[in-house]
Amino acid sequence: MYSEDQMLPLSGIQHYSFCPRQWALIHIEQQWAENVLTVQGSFMHERAHDRGIREKRGDTIAIRGLDVHSYSLGLKGQCDVVEFVAAEQGFPLAGEDGSWSVRPIEYKRGKSKRIAADRLQLCAQAICLEEMLCCTVETAYLYYHETRSREEVGLTQGLRDEAKRCAHEMHRLFSRRHTPAAKERSACRSCSMRDICLPEMEQRESVEAYFKRRVGEVI
């Protein structure tokens, strides 16, 4: 269990899953760079986090920008949208009658991806809600703006274990203030941090290797 002053931003789990070096540059070295994708994403999340909006439609209450935390993960942040749905088997909700179930919804700019980064962020939000509300979150969704569709995410034990592993690795790196070395891959092309990260430097010869090579040439 982590203490309050050890909490890291929950949103960082998406950065870490995508690239541990990207996460470290942002959350340890406090560096950031924008591109068109990050600007679009920020604008969409500003709308999703409008705390003035609380909607009730039928048996569903939707709350935006809900603060969440998990002491087992050592993460805190906000859910874009949390829906409370009337259910026979559920938990009591302050100010409301009956029993309720809960499902977090995370808004994303693009479309569904094969990599697990978005799903891990959503899973971490679900774990936060479970700890805070003493309940089990059975359903969670990713809403993709490009396709304007919801994707149901199965909160499997494997996904939960990976979210916990990522969170603990983030804390391990943060405690050491360690930034992993660059490693160039295809995803680097669309990363806003590319000019800061300089992944192409991985391919360059080190100073030590240069001197050893030159000494060998002379001999």
Side-chain angles (χ1 to χ4, degrees):
M1 301 294 284
Y2 296 94
S3 63
E4 185 67 34
D5 60 359
Q6 291 177 308
M7 290 288 186
L8 296 175
L10 187 152
S11 60
I13 199 167
Q14 183 196 32
H15 299 143
Y16 181 88
S17 176
F18 176 75
C19 174
R21 179 172 172 82
Q22 184 200 67
W23 173 83
L25 289 171
I26 296 171
H27 297 276
I28 295 178
E29 298 189 17
Q30 300 292 302
Q31 300 193 60
W32 180 248
E34 296 276 17
N35 64 12
V36 65
L37 301 181
T38 60
V39 171
Q40 289 174 349
S42 297
F43 176 73
M44 189 184 68
H45 278 87
E46 285 177 6
R47 295 181 63 186
H49 282 191
D50 188 342
R51 291 174 178 270
I53 297 179
R54 181 182 186 277
E55 301 172 318
K56 186 170 184 179
R57 297 180 180 178
D59 63 353
T60 302
I61 298 172
I63 298 176
R64 298 177 183 268
L66 181 66
D67 292 326
V68 295
H69 62 266
S70 165
Y71 290 109
S72 67
L73 298 179
L75 301 178
K76 65 179 179 180
Q78 285 187 348
C79 294
D80 286 340
V81 177
V82 176
E83 290 184 343
F84 296 92
V85 184
E88 291 184 7
Q89 300 292 327
F91 58 89
L93 186 62
E96 301 291 340
D97 296 328
S99 297
W100 301 80
S101 64
V102 61
R103 56 194 186 201
I105 302 168
E106 175 68 13
Y107 280 57
K108 295 298 180 185
R109 182 202 61 81
K111 57 185 178 181
S112 182
K113 308 171 185 66
R114 284 182 293 179
I115 61 173
D118 293 347
R119 294 187 288 277
L120 286 168
Q121 182 181 357
L122 183 64
C123 183
Q125 292 176 3
I127 293 172
C128 290
L129 290 167
E130 289 177 336
E131 290 187 20
M132 293 170 61
L133 301 173
C134 298
C135 68
T136 299
V137 178
E138 297 180 349
T139 307
Y141 292 94
L142 290 165
Y143 178 85
Y144 287 102
H145 186 264
E146 185 174 324
T147 57
R148 299 189 181 277
S149 61
R150 281 189 182 187
E151 175 186 309
E152 184 173 346
V153 175
L155 302 175
T156 64
Q157 189 59 50
L159 190 67
R160 291 170 179 270
D161 289 344
E162 181 62 11
K164 293 175 184 178
R165 186 195 70 81
C166 288
H168 295 326
E169 280 297 303
M170 288 157 58
H171 278 279
R172 184 181 67 83
L173 292 176
F174 192 84
S175 66
R176 296 169 55 203
R177 299 299 192 271
H178 173 66
T179 300
K183 185 175 182 179
E184 189 165 20
R185 53 200 179 98
S186 60
C188 295
R189 290 194 296 268
S190 61
C191 180
S192 66
M193 300 292 289
R194 182 181 180 90
D195 290 342
I196 296 173
C197 174
L198 300 175
E200 62 275 6
M201 293 294 290
E202 177 200 20
Q203 307 299 326
R204 297 192 178 183
E205 188 176 36
S206 69
V207 174
E208 180 182 5
Y210 170 80
F211 279 112
K212 286 183 177 179
R213 178 172 58 80
R214 293 305 303 270
V215 169
E217 289 175 357
V218 172
I219 296 173

